[in-house]
Amino acid sequence: IFSGALFNSTHPMRGLHLFLLLSLYFLYASSSLILVGGGLEKGNAEVYLKIIELSGGPDECNIGIITAASRDPEGSATYYMDLFKHYGVPADRVSWIPIDMKHIENNRNPQVIANISRMTGFFMGGGDQSRIKKSFVNPDGSDSPALTMMRERVSLHNALIGGTSAGCAVMSGQPMISGGESYEACVHGAHSHEMSHSTWLTYDPNGGIGLFPYGFLDTHFSMRGRQGRLIRLVSDAGRKTDEKMSFLGWGVDQDTALVVDDNRKEGMVLGSGGVYLFDLRGATVKQVERHWAILDVKTTFLTRGDRIDMQTLVVNCNGTKAPIQGQEAHERPLSPSQDIFTSYRANGNDEANRAHPREFTLIAQDLFDSEDNWTHGDTYEHSPVYRVHMRKTQATGYVGYDMQLGKKLISFEGLLVDIADHE
């Protein structure tokens, strides 16, 4: 059927043959995003190898490293190039794209753009997502020639785009988060301009570079207790239209990736943590004792191997997990948390000075591993104290032991979360 004769320009079947070839190409080719929540460990072979695989494999890929978010772009580029070489990419197949705040003019440099035009994958490092946007987007909001070429590589040649931390956050098509803590977000709301208080929730209303069209994005999620700030951002900056994606917030944990197959509209979780989805379509925002409150936020948490339809939001848990109901490990959940949003402390317990890393996630997973249907946690900060109620009466939990990670994993969907002043 694929005989050489069909390629002859005079052959009557040539047009049909080319149509079939192109149809097969677009059917099986797949553009992808890899969204990493930051803190990607050097030893996380699963994620690094997936980036290489989706870029064409070690012998066929050309990976461009973008470090515009970093205060030390060249040092950061060397770090990532060495990592990809460690995982089998030849030195001549991974290169730095030298566009950053000190070299913004390179976003229209013909040689740099020519290099971008041969890339099969891009990886954006961490730092400050606003630096990436300023480096690749013109002051009037239009795409620079470099970003235009990146989009062309993605749309026409199915190039991969991956990013960690800021490199993940900048992919948002919804308003892009730029800073803030969960408690201050609940108290003071979301602000579309920089604030003198670094802990207040701020965002760019014009969004990031728009490669992720499925809702809001946040990173370093469980470790830094960012559930409150993402819910408040979606509540304040989203929900303005009937578009479903403006009601959705995705939070990606450290050392964890959400791999999005944009052709199949499917997401899959890799790595040691999890991915949150907050769906505010059925939520109610109100004032309680003069303070903001929100009720009935539908919450999903996915762990390694779980998949989700990015449009219908139907969850397909990893086959090694089974429904947890009936095999819970405890009758009662843990005592209510006194630091539900993992407060920042000068003498905290991790590299980001967090007193109780992953507190919200630990409390939620423990609820599913108990026979009770509800629990709660309070903020460490007060005046006012905010209380987070969790109810699993309409939810489903899944549990399984992950041999690769060497630990029990608990995923869930349908948990209802309320956040309200408790004073």
Side-chain angles (χ1 to χ4, degrees):
I1 184 171
F2 294 131
S3 68
L6 289 182
F7 288 96
N8 188 299
S9 60
T10 62
H11 196 286
M13 294 294 289
R14 180 176 181 269
L16 176 61
H17 173 69
L18 290 177
F19 172 78
L20 290 172
L21 282 180
L22 288 172
S23 298
L24 286 170
Y25 172 80
F26 286 111
L27 176 64
Y28 291 107
S30 177
S31 59
S32 300
L33 301 175
I34 293 187
L35 308 167
V36 182
L40 184 59
E41 296 289 343
K42 295 179 182 180
N44 195 331
E46 181 176 51
V47 172
Y48 284 109
L49 291 176
K50 179 60 71 172
I51 294 168
I52 296 167
E53 173 196 333
L54 295 178
S55 297
D59 297 326
E60 300 294 334
C61 69
N62 283 298
I63 298 176
I65 305 298
I66 297 170
T67 54
S70 174
R71 293 185 182 275
D72 178 16
E74 293 186 48
S76 183
T78 299
Y79 172 83
Y80 285 116
M81 287 191 293
D82 286 347
L83 270 173
F84 282 107
K85 286 185 280 188
H86 170 76
Y87 281 108
V89 177
D92 62 347
R93 291 193 172 275
V94 57
S95 59
W96 180 40
I97 297 175
I99 301 173
D100 52 58
M101 293 295 291
K102 294 181 180 179
H103 306 94
I104 291 179
E105 69 279 2
N106 280 344
N107 69 20
R108 53 182 48 82
N109 182 305
Q111 289 181 317
V112 174
I113 294 169
N115 189 37
I116 292 173
S117 72
R118 67 184 187 87
M119 293 298 152
T120 61
F122 302 90
F123 186 78
M124 297 188 286
D128 182 342
Q129 51 265 40
S130 65
R131 294 193 193 110
I132 303 176
K133 187 174 178 182
K134 289 175 183 176
S135 299
F136 282 83
V137 176
N138 294 323
D140 65 359
S142 62
D143 286 356
S144 68
L147 184 55
T148 298
M149 180 55 71
M150 288 175 63
R151 293 192 197 280
E152 180 179 313
R153 294 301 299 169
V154 172
S155 62
L156 298 182
H157 303 280
N158 297 291
L160 165 79
I161 293 194
T164 183
S165 189
C168 167
V170 78
M171 293 197 213
S172 178
Q174 295 291 336
M176 180 183 73
I177 199 163
S178 55
E181 296 288 336
S182 282
Y183 176 77
E184 284 78 4
C186 292
V187 175
H188 302 292
H191 300 269
S192 60
H193 54 276
E194 294 301 316
M195 304 294 294
S196 58
H197 304 283
S198 62
T199 56
W200 286 28
L201 173 58
T202 56
Y203 68 97
D204 182 338
N206 297 315
I209 59 176
L211 293 169
F212 181 80
Y214 303 105
F216 292 76
L217 278 171
D218 204 354
T219 59
H220 297 278
F221 207 67
S222 291
M223 289 294 289
R224 301 186 187 180
R226 289 179 164 173
Q227 293 85 0
R229 81 171 192 174
L230 181 56
I231 290 172
R232 185 68 196 259
L233 179 64
V234 178
S235 173
D236 285 10
R239 297 161 47 90
K240 306 299 184 186
T241 70
D242 291 333
E243 181 193 2
K244 179 173 71 174
M245 303 310 174
S246 72
F247 290 78
L248 305 179
W250 301 80
V252 187
D253 282 354
Q254 293 184 182
D255 197 39
T256 303
L258 176 63
V259 181
V260 180
D261 183 325
D262 205 40
N263 286 356
R264 294 187 176 92
K265 309 300 181 188
E266 181 184 69
M268 178 179 67
V269 179
L270 300 178
S272 62
V275 174
Y276 273 94
L277 168 61
F278 295 113
D279 184 347
L280 274 64
R281 285 176 294 172
T284 301
V285 176
K286 58 193 300 185
Q287 295 289 316
V288 176
E289 297 296 329
R290 298 178 291 109
H291 293 292
W292 173 87
I294 190 165
L295 309 177
D296 297 331
V297 176
K298 187 177 180 181
T299 304
T300 294
F301 183 70
L302 307 176
T303 56
R304 183 174 178 269
D306 296 340
R307 297 173 183 268
I308 185 169
D309 187 302
M310 301 298 291
Q311 292 184 315
T312 66
L313 308 183
V314 172
V315 170
N316 181 10
C317 273
N318 185 334
T320 64
K321 301 186 183 85
I324 199 171
Q325 187 173 11
Q327 53 178 323
E328 297 90 347
H330 314 287
E331 182 180 354
R332 302 287 184 189
L334 291 170
S335 299
S337 171
Q338 301 300 311
D339 190 11
I340 193 64
F341 289 141
T342 304
S343 61
Y344 175 88
R345 318 262 186 103
N347 59 346
N349 294 331
D350 74 341
E351 80 286 352
N353 288 321
R354 301 291 164 165
H356 299 94
R358 303 188 69 248
E359 186 78 350
F360 186 108
T361 300
L362 293 173
I363 294 297
Q365 289 181 313
D366 183 74
L367 174 62
F368 280 92
D369 209 13
S370 78
E371 296 176 13
D372 269 3
N373 284 323
W374 66 273
T375 190
H376 71 268
D378 294 341
T379 57
Y380 169 79
E381 303 88 346
H382 52 85
S383 299
V385 171
Y386 266 89
R387 173 162 289 183
V388 176
H389 284 275
M390 301 179 182
R391 308 188 309 281
K392 68 174 188 181
T393 50
Q394 302 176 42
T396 304
Y398 306 90
V399 63
Y401 188 84
D402 190 289
M403 297 294 291
Q404 180 168 318
L405 296 177
K407 64 180 182 180
K408 181 169 75 173
L409 296 180
I410 294 177
S411 305
F412 55 81
E413 58 177 325
L415 178 70
L416 293 179
V417 171
D418 305 335
I419 304 174
D421 170 16
H422 186 58
E423 291 189 345

